[in-house]
Amino acid sequence: MKQSAGFVDSHSHLRSTALAEHGVGGRCLEEAILRMNAMTPVDVEDDVFAACCNLISTGVTAVQYMFHTFGSPSEYLEILERSLSGIRRSGIRAQVILGITDQYEFIPQRLMHSINLPSFVSSGRKMNPSEFREIFESAHNQNPDINFGVGPVAPQWCSDEMLEAISEIAQREVRIHTHCLESESQRNWITESPVERLSNFNLLGPRTSLAHGVWLNHTELKKIHESGTHLVTCPKSNMFLNSGKADCDTWRKLEINVGVGLDSISGIEEPLKTAKLALAEESALHALTIGGSLSIGLDTSQDYVKWKDWESSTAQQVSISGKTVFKDGLHIRHDELVAAQGRVRRTILQDTEKRNSRHLSLDKIMNIYLESVRS
């Protein structure tokens, strides 16, 4: 039976169901992001627990989780704690990135106040930089077993004041992670490009990883290389959202470390097949193991996987930090997992009519919205 090191998912949102099950997809990233507001809200602990177990079943032993909610500080911490409970129950290694946005999440700066979005589209400032600093302190102090990082969900979606707060937190040698130039439109979302903003707030460097990077230009890649910043390619997600294909060959020629992000697109993933959409097999395997470990800053050297089917990333047994968490094709909390998956699916099914109604509301404005943001 083939055995290997554990895989690393270097960019995840820890959703246990495919975006398509929620009616999310569309012609481009911007449409998909807007449609995510119509998704069915499910129990966070169940969703995260099931997502982590799904990853483990495909040989993933470590994950970088971009956590984010539009809630108030108290809501943010409450949802975070439920997420952490799901992570702990699964047994996976996790780098938890405390993400934040406070501006222009759905509408570019130049179009602000010119497009009316449905009332269920949640955006805008729900906390100030001081409150975000307090959230990091609280999460860090109350969860000493968890590795925390910080980041703007995307640099263009954070105000100068919030980026300054993130930069101050980052001085404590925590990891930084963010989405970066996932689509061409995001480059001019505000007056500064995403990479310029990160550089101006000292958020590039060897503790930083950038997800997607499809539209990085040569000057930006040179800056990323010189700063020691890591890049995380998400090829399946980029294909699903018609974002384009990252130039991973150039990344490697510039000796930029590369990880692979599965990006919570499909429910059950196939890490090796996904990585091979962007990289030759040897490079794909490196990005899923050593490259991924470097990207997220977690030591996975004690993890291993025995494979039932190597090509489809189907595990037979998974050991994380010396503990077997998946054996004979089943997670050690299999019964709990089945129950959690059942609750999530029932919630999605029961919400079908309301979810479809929310999408219909978005249908009415989508063509005008897309024409506006692309202009």
Side-chain angles (χ1 to χ4, degrees):
M1 183 178 292
K2 185 177 179 66
Q3 180 171 315
S4 78
F7 289 160
V8 177
D9 181 355
S10 298
H11 178 71
S12 175
H13 297 276
L14 291 183
R15 290 185 294 263
S16 65
T17 51
L19 284 179
E21 291 188 52
H22 295 267
V24 175
R27 289 156 281 188
C28 62
L29 170 73
E30 287 71 32
E31 176 170 356
I33 290 174
L34 200 56
R35 289 199 181 277
M36 286 178 188
N37 290 271
M39 290 174 65
T40 297
V42 299
D43 182 271
V44 175
E45 183 174 349
D46 280 345
D47 203 25
V48 169
F49 172 58
C52 290
C53 293
N54 289 347
L55 288 176
I56 290 169
S57 75
T58 65
V60 173
T61 62
V63 62
Q64 183 158 245
Y65 170 36
M66 173 59 85
F67 174 82
H68 170 244
T69 174
F70 284 111
S72 66
S74 60
E75 291 168 331
Y76 190 106
L77 284 170
E78 179 183 351
I79 296 171
L80 174 64
E81 287 300 325
R82 291 190 60 76
S83 297
L84 298 181
S85 180
I87 289 169
R88 290 187 180 103
R89 287 169 61 197
S90 77
I92 204 166
R93 292 182 188 274
Q95 177 71 248
V96 179
I97 303 299
L98 302 182
I100 188 69
T101 74
D102 67 346
Q103 67 173 20
Y104 311 127
E105 293 91 348
F106 306 111
I107 300 178
Q109 185 177 12
R110 67 185 184 279
L111 298 176
M112 202 60 184
H113 309 303
S114 65
I115 301 176
N116 293 319
L117 300 178
S119 59
F120 61 82
V121 177
S122 179
S123 65
R125 178 170 289 198
K126 300 296 192 304
M127 71 177 79
N128 60 46
S130 178
E131 290 169 326
F132 186 66
R133 291 187 191 95
E134 291 172 4
I135 278 178
F136 179 83
E137 291 296 336
S138 178
H140 180 76
N141 292 336
Q142 293 180 22
N143 302 281
D145 60 319
I146 298 290
N147 296 284
F148 287 107
V150 290
V153 178
Q156 65 275 17
W157 300 340
C158 269
S159 65
D160 289 357
E161 296 81 7
M162 191 64 79
L163 284 179
E164 184 64 41
I166 291 171
S167 183
E168 289 176 14
I169 296 169
Q171 300 311 307
R172 298 172 55 169
E173 299 191 350
V174 302
R175 306 296 295 192
I176 303 156
H177 183 61
T178 187
H179 298 78
C180 186
L181 288 171
E182 187 173 353
S183 80
E184 189 174 18
S185 296
Q186 296 297 314
R187 176 178 294 282
N188 300 308
W189 207 252
I190 62 174
T191 55
E192 265 184 317
S193 78
V195 176
E196 284 178 326
R197 287 184 69 69
L198 291 170
S199 179
N200 290 342
F201 287 90
N202 298 312
L203 292 173
L204 295 177
R207 294 194 306 275
T208 297
S209 58
L210 310 180
H212 298 284
V214 175
W215 295 91
L216 291 165
N217 61 35
H218 181 75
T219 299
E220 291 163 339
L221 286 172
K222 184 178 179 182
K223 184 174 291 188
I224 286 166
H225 163 68
E226 291 172 347
S227 65
T229 299
H230 311 270
L231 290 176
V232 177
T233 185
C234 306
K236 190 171 183 180
S237 171
N238 295 336
M239 289 176 62
F240 179 73
L241 299 178
N242 296 307
S243 295
K245 186 175 182 179
D247 189 0
C248 294
D249 288 339
T250 296
W251 297 3
R252 294 188 66 252
K253 287 176 184 175
L254 290 172
E255 299 183 334
I256 296 169
N257 181 60
V258 179
V260 174
L262 304 179
D263 207 10
S264 302
I265 289 295
S266 303
I268 297 291
E269 304 290 350
E270 295 179 299
L272 186 58
K273 287 185 178 180
T274 296
K276 287 163 68 174
L277 293 172
L279 298 158
E281 183 160 358
E282 184 178 349
S283 299
L285 186 57
H286 184 277
L288 281 170
T289 53
I290 296 169
S293 180
L294 291 171
S295 294
I296 73 172
L298 294 183
D299 180 5
T300 59
S301 60
Q302 296 183 60
D303 305 344
Y304 70 85
V305 181
K306 292 182 179 178
W307 295 98
K308 181 178 180 180
D309 187 332
W310 169 250
E311 288 299 326
S312 68
S313 302
T314 303
Q316 180 69 20
Q317 181 174 326
V318 179
S319 177
I320 301 176
S321 193
K323 180 180 179 180
T324 298
V325 296
F326 191 83
K327 187 175 182 180
D328 298 328
L330 296 176
H331 192 275
I332 59 171
R333 294 178 179 266
H334 176 71
D335 291 345
E336 293 178 37
L337 172 59
V338 170
Q341 290 171 328
R343 288 190 292 269
V344 168
R345 296 204 172 276
R346 282 194 297 274
T347 300
I348 292 173
L349 181 61
Q350 290 165 0
D351 188 50
T352 300
E353 185 175 343
K354 291 181 179 179
R355 183 177 62 250
N356 289 342
S357 177
R358 294 191 293 272
H359 279 299
L360 284 172
S361 296
L362 292 171
D363 290 343
K364 294 176 182 179
I365 65 161
M366 192 58 70
N367 286 337
I368 295 173
Y369 171 78
L370 293 179
E371 287 175 8
S372 299
V373 300
R374 290 169 174 171
S375 63

